[in-house]
Amino acid sequence: MKIKYIVLAVMALGFTGCDKFLDEVPDSRIEVDTKEKIQLLLVSAYPSSHPMMGFELMSDNHEDNGSQYASNADLIADYYLFKEDASSISQDSPYYLWESFYGAVATANLALESIEMLENPEEAEAEKGEALLCRAFGHFLAVQTFCQAYNTLTSDTDLGVPYSTLSEVTVHEKYDRSNVAEVYRNILADIEAGIPLLDDSNYKVPKYHFTRKAAYAFAAEVYLYYGDYDRAIEYATKALGDNPKGVLRNHVPLSNATSNSDAHLAYITPDEQANLLILPCMSNWGRYMVGSPNYNRYGHTLAICTNGTYRSSGPWAAKGSSYLAGFKNWNRTGYSTQYVYSGLVNYIFETTDEATNIGYYHTTIPVFSTDKAILVRAEAYVMKQQYELAAQDLSWWIEAKDCNPGNEYVLQDFLDYYSTADEEWIRQPLNPRGITFADETQLTMLYAVLHARRIETQGQGWRFIDLKRYGIGYVKYVYNATDITLEPWDLRLAVQIPSGVYGSGMQKNPR
């Protein structure tokens, strides 16, 4: 379904092209004037992109392996080297991300406006709830990408992103970026207003929509980042249900998969109970992640994999597992030890012209899952100093990944390992703003959670968010050039808004 005025609204928000109000539907045949049309419209209220590629390359999950290895995509180097104002407007670029996020937001706003115009708007309460969640989600991805992480000390002044509540905009209007704290408050207001209206029976394929559990997981993550740990625990618990251990991903089939492709398809299937919201993206990232020799220069190396992600040691080592067996088929060494790729993030090619084999690469990921939700809750428990409960959640997570239900873990297991874990890879200094650690146990258990999150989300970019949130400094090695040192709360951690956006008058991120 092609919604012409949605496309125009997005272009007007960030990129000049028209010079008048978009105050009427260009094609009357696509007026959204029924509940059924609103349902169809909401399919486009989910972003067609995700910042996973940029986030991964900007994090400490990737390293420059030198010019002897190929990298045929300039955008990969642009992200790794923190290059701004890159010319690329392709999939995964800041330009494309901005347009995708605000395109989804504009669609959600149009749905909300259309609901109000119905003869009986109360009949579309479920659609209203989904639209509010989608609007919140689009802004959530935008604030994670183009802003500093939320913190209680500076977020009232840190530049945010425009919180759009209208589908129609003018080209030359100056949009207020507000501040990060205000953006979070608006996101949470939309989440709280939307959740009670949701109706899971409204969807033919629920895992591609905001069901109640997906919305709970989303709310838990936002509240965690916002520092409201009680609400994070409340919503994560709702997402997990009465049997948290029983709803985590069963890694046995994945570890026994005959190929990365099979493991990937099993990972993203809507039939997997752990998947709460699946997001199909127009993205090349899965193509790069499978280990093509053309993209080995900036790699997730064997050293990083062995010490920080899939093959890294943890409390499981004391029980006979050198690394978590559930990732056996997810970390195959590619064309060299300089790029260890993952079956978790793969690609599907959509052919648009059979004769020339032209098409688009899609990368599909579960943006919300029970696997992530239990780690959100574990972190919130740590921050509430409820360490035994945090240890229980972490134990359940490890049991699912280790494919060995006989191994269980208690608080002391985590304290024994993480209190003396490697300081280069695991116990990197934390410099949070507005957070004072209560004791050494809290700090040690937080390292345990961050390690688990790094493993769980490898390839999907959220390691970068954790580096931002906790002020973890790190160095990006650059072959035959000066290394890039990222200090805690480095200004470059907020991706620069696209040149077409600040060229229209919006304030740039400071540098």
Side-chain angles (χ1 to χ4, degrees):
M1 182 177 182
K2 186 176 182 181
I3 313 296
K4 293 182 180 179
Y5 52 108
I6 286 296
V7 175
L8 290 172
V10 177
M11 295 298 288
L13 181 61
F15 311 98
T16 58
C18 303
D19 57 2
K20 62 179 181 179
F21 269 100
L22 302 174
D23 54 3
E24 61 182 1
V25 180
D27 186 339
S28 62
R29 292 173 297 174
I30 57 173
E31 288 187 24
V32 186
D33 54 4
T34 68
K35 176 178 177 176
E36 291 71 26
K37 289 181 180 179
I38 292 168
Q39 288 177 341
L40 290 172
L41 178 65
L42 284 170
V43 173
S44 299
Y46 294 83
S48 61
S49 65
H50 188 277
M52 54 188 157
M53 174 175 159
F55 284 2
E56 274 295 304
L57 288 163
M58 291 188 293
S59 78
D60 57 359
N61 277 349
H62 283 252
E63 185 172 10
D64 185 351
N65 293 311
S67 59
Q68 67 270 36
Y69 296 96
S71 180
N72 288 354
D74 290 341
L75 187 57
I76 291 178
D78 291 343
Y79 274 127
Y80 183 90
L81 299 171
F82 285 80
K83 181 179 178 181
E84 296 188 4
D85 292 340
S87 60
S88 175
I89 61 173
S90 64
Q91 295 174 195
D92 303 297
S93 68
Y95 175 106
Y96 188 88
L97 295 175
W98 182 279
E99 184 171 288
S100 170
F101 300 159
Y102 279 103
V105 166
T107 305
N109 285 332
L110 177 62
L112 291 168
E113 293 167 7
S114 300
I115 290 168
E116 293 303 312
M117 297 295 290
L118 293 177
E119 185 175 348
N120 297 304
E122 64 277 1
E123 295 180 356
E125 287 287 271
E127 289 76 19
K128 180 177 180 180
E130 184 179 9
L132 288 168
L133 267 297
C134 287
R135 183 167 74 183
F137 184 52
H139 287 107
F140 177 70
L141 291 180
V143 78
Q144 299 305 312
T145 305
F146 298 105
C147 304
Q148 290 292 336
Y150 177 85
N151 72 87
T152 58
L153 296 186
T154 67
S155 287
D156 285 329
T157 55
D158 287 338
L159 285 176
V161 290
Y163 206 91
S164 176
T165 58
L166 298 173
S167 65
E168 297 169 355
V169 295
T170 57
V171 171
H172 299 296
E173 185 177 344
K174 297 295 186 292
Y175 293 94
D176 180 16
R177 291 192 61 174
S178 184
N179 58 69
V180 171
E182 183 66 22
V183 174
Y184 266 83
R185 287 192 288 268
N186 285 325
I187 290 171
L188 289 169
D190 276 349
I191 289 174
E192 294 289 357
I195 284 179
L197 305 179
L198 295 173
D199 181 356
D200 292 1
S201 67
N202 219 34
Y203 310 127
K204 292 182 179 179
V205 186
K207 296 297 180 71
Y208 289 94
H209 298 269
F210 270 113
T211 62
R212 281 290 180 99
K213 286 194 173 182
Y216 293 151
F218 177 29
E221 192 163 313
V222 179
Y223 274 117
L224 177 72
Y225 294 176
Y226 192 60
D228 189 335
Y229 304 119
D230 288 322
R231 297 289 272 170
I233 292 168
E234 174 190 344
Y235 277 114
T237 300
K238 288 181 177 181
L240 293 165
D242 296 332
N243 181 25
K245 182 178 179 179
V247 297
L248 297 180
R249 194 180 309 273
N250 179 1
H251 274 240
V252 174
L254 298 176
S255 66
N256 293 333
T258 57
S259 69
N260 263 2
S261 178
D262 287 346
H264 170 67
L265 293 175
Y267 181 73
I268 65 172
T269 178
D271 296 331
E272 168 56 61
Q273 64 176 347
N275 292 336
L276 301 180
L277 178 63
I278 302 169
L279 187 68
C281 304
M282 295 279 286
S283 171
N284 287 311
W285 184 230
R287 174 189 173 204
Y288 301 150
M289 280 290 287
V290 295
S292 165
N294 293 328
Y295 306 106
N296 277 7
R297 174 158 184 178
Y298 302 101
H300 176 237
T301 66
L302 185 58
I304 296 171
C305 184
T306 301
N307 294 286
T309 63
Y310 288 156
R311 298 185 187 179
S312 58
S313 182
W316 44 89
K319 299 184 185 293
S321 299
S322 57
Y323 64 93
L324 298 174
F327 295 110
K328 181 175 68 176
N329 271 349
W330 292 16
N331 56 89
R332 301 181 178 188
T333 302
Y335 295 85
S336 73
T337 58
Q338 302 312 109
Y339 206 120
V340 181
Y341 58 89
S342 160
L344 184 155
V345 181
N346 211 315
Y347 72 92
I348 298 172
F349 185 70
E350 176 192 4
T351 303
T352 56
D353 188 326
E354 294 285 351
T356 59
N357 197 34
I358 292 175
Y360 298 98
Y361 288 96
H362 294 262
T363 302
T364 298
I365 58 171
V367 287
F368 298 111
S369 67
T370 56
D371 299 314
K372 283 182 66 180
I374 203 163
L375 295 180
V376 166
R377 190 171 73 173
E379 183 178 337
Y381 279 144
V382 169
M383 301 311 291
K384 292 287 293 182
Q385 301 178 57
Q386 296 175 293
Y387 305 130
E388 296 284 356
L389 291 173
Q392 180 65 87
D393 280 352
L394 285 170
S395 178
W396 286 334
W397 178 83
I398 294 172
E399 289 175 62
K401 310 300 173 182
D402 199 26
C403 302
N404 186 347
N407 286 342
E408 298 180 0
Y409 301 82
V410 297
L411 176 60
Q412 194 60 47
D413 292 321
F414 296 102
L415 297 180
D416 287 346
Y417 182 83
Y418 287 101
S419 62
T420 59
D422 189 283
E423 294 185 359
E424 178 182 357
W425 295 99
I426 305 297
R427 289 184 63 92
Q428 298 151 301
L430 307 182
N431 302 277
R433 286 176 169 170
I435 296 176
T436 301
F437 296 114
D439 49 40
E440 189 64 25
T441 298
Q442 186 177 54
L443 182 61
T444 298
M445 286 300 291
L446 184 56
Y447 282 124
V449 173
L450 292 178
H451 185 208
R453 279 174 58 89
R454 187 176 188 181
I455 296 171
E456 177 64 46
T457 64
Q458 197 280 316
Q460 297 183 31
W462 294 111
R463 168 64 177 175
F464 181 67
I465 296 301
D466 289 345
L467 295 171
K468 289 173 68 169
R469 290 194 301 131
Y470 283 105
I472 301 173
Y474 59 107
V475 176
K476 303 287 282 182
Y477 169 72
V478 182
Y479 179 75
N480 272 353
T482 303
D483 294 345
I484 300 171
T485 299
L486 283 304
E487 302 291 346
W489 305 94
D490 198 294
L491 294 176
R492 291 168 294 182
L493 298 176
V495 175
Q496 188 59 267
I497 62 177
S499 58
V501 178
Y502 66 71
S504 298
M506 189 177 295
Q507 187 175 355
K508 294 177 65 174
N509 285 328
R511 290 292 184 259

